[in-house]
Amino acid sequence: MISSKNLRFAYSSQKKFSFPDITCKDKETLLILGQSGKGKTTLLHLLALLITPDSGEIVIANNPAIGLSPIQTTEMRAKNIGIIYQRPHFVSSLSVLDNILLSNYLANQKQDHTKAKQLAEQLGFAEHLAKKTAQLSQGEQQRVSIARSLMNNPNVILADEPTSNLDDNNCQKVIELLKKQSASIGASLVVVTHDRRLKDEFSNQVFL
Ligand SMILES: Nc1ncnc2c1ncn2[C@@H]1O[C@H](COP(=O)(O)OP(=O)(O)OP(=O)(O)O)[C@@H](O)[C@H]1O
């Protein structure tokens, strides 16, 4: 589960945000909608503990996530949070498989080849595991990102515009996969987007 209360963040005195409170319990989904520039990515980065709010609270898996030391924050993120970025960030010199296994490495976990291969089968890119990520289509890269976010069985999955670069067919597929995979590990799934196609796919919604 993840929740936030009274979150405020400023990039500068002109660029200040005060975000609505959010709650997403285990196995639940939440869609955060907002037009470009409304602060969706900023909120997602706050929830992912990548930036620190000026004030407010974040609770992840029933533990306070604000006020921790940098090491505790990194541990909290690695253990509990799977992030799918707006544009996938891969290490271009590594194979698809090694990019997925990197999640385990960064969380100080044993590299789980069996799980990586299982996820690749379930997400439909098993035949691409030995390739470099640049050789994959955008839809395939998005599915690799999903696999990577699931490698450490996170408590919370945070997805930033996971469908904005996808056609209708791939949009539908990616959302179904995200929901199915997060449900199978009992995670909370939080998606931020301006993609109105997702409006009917989520019952819990917050507007920025
Ligand atoms: N590092 C930064 N420094 C200063 N301003 C920033 C920074 N990052 C974002 N902003 C500004 O904060 C505002 C919100 O940005 P953010 O990326 O959170 O919006 P968004 O709703 O995700 O937009 P989009 O849908 O276009 O990705 C924008 O006006 C942006 O220019």
Side-chain angles (χ1 to χ4, degrees):
M1 62 76 69
I2 185 163
S3 66
S4 72
K5 222 174 167 183
N6 303 326
L7 277 187
R8 286 171 187 267
F9 181 82
Y11 287 111
S12 65
S13 53
Q14 284 87 38
K15 208 66 185 175
K16 291 182 177 177
F17 295 95
S18 174
F19 291 107
D21 297 348
I22 66 124
T23 299
C24 188
K25 296 183 185 154
D26 290 346
K27 298 184 187 165
E28 288 192 349
T29 60
L30 175 68
L31 187 68
I32 300 175
L33 283 157
Q35 289 170 348
S36 180
K38 283 286 184 183
K40 299 181 298 296
T41 297
T42 304
L43 176 56
L44 197 98
H45 286 184
L46 286 165
L47 297 174
L49 313 180
L50 292 167
I51 53 176
T52 309
D54 297 324
S55 60
E57 296 162 28
I58 297 175
V59 174
I60 295 171
N62 295 314
N63 293 305
I66 300 298
L68 305 176
S69 70
I71 289 177
Q72 288 171 323
T73 302
T74 303
E75 280 174 5
M76 169 75 104
R77 187 187 313 112
K79 190 167 162 232
N80 291 292
I81 299 177
I83 309 172
I84 299 155
Y85 293 96
Q86 191 163 4
R87 279 173 218 88
H89 299 285
F90 296 118
V91 180
S92 58
S93 56
L94 295 181
S95 67
V96 169
L97 176 63
D98 286 336
N99 267 284
I100 297 172
L101 292 170
L102 209 50
S103 281
N104 289 147
Y105 175 77
L106 294 173
N108 266 334
Q109 306 278 328
K110 191 169 168 286
Q111 297 198 337
D112 191 341
H113 287 249
T114 308
K115 185 173 172 77
K117 286 176 187 159
Q118 265 171 3
L119 283 168
E121 290 284 347
Q122 288 165 7
L123 293 164
F125 62 86
E127 73 272 30
H128 301 311
L129 278 171
K131 291 184 186 167
K132 297 285 192 305
T133 51
Q135 294 173 274
L136 272 55
S137 73
Q138 284 205 333
E140 287 162 351
Q141 289 188 22
Q142 203 56 286
R143 282 180 271 148
V144 175
S145 288
I146 294 174
R148 188 176 55 180
S149 76
L150 294 162
M151 278 302 281
N152 298 319
N153 286 326
N155 188 272
V156 179
I157 298 168
L158 301 173
D160 191 358
E161 303 276 9
T163 55
S164 57
N165 297 322
L166 303 179
D167 59 29
D168 288 352
N169 187 24
N170 274 308
C171 169
Q172 190 63 35
K173 269 194 204 159
V174 160
I175 281 304
E176 274 169 23
L177 287 169
L178 261 176
K179 283 175 153 180
K180 196 171 151 206
Q181 294 290 337
S182 57
S184 76
I185 58 169
S188 315
L189 171 64
V190 179
V191 175
V192 304
T193 192
H194 68 265
D195 189 343
R196 310 289 295 181
R197 294 176 297 183
L198 303 189
K199 233 181 146 292
D200 298 332
E201 303 283 343
F202 291 76
S203 48
N204 298 327
Q205 301 186 357
V206 169
F207 292 84
L208 297 188

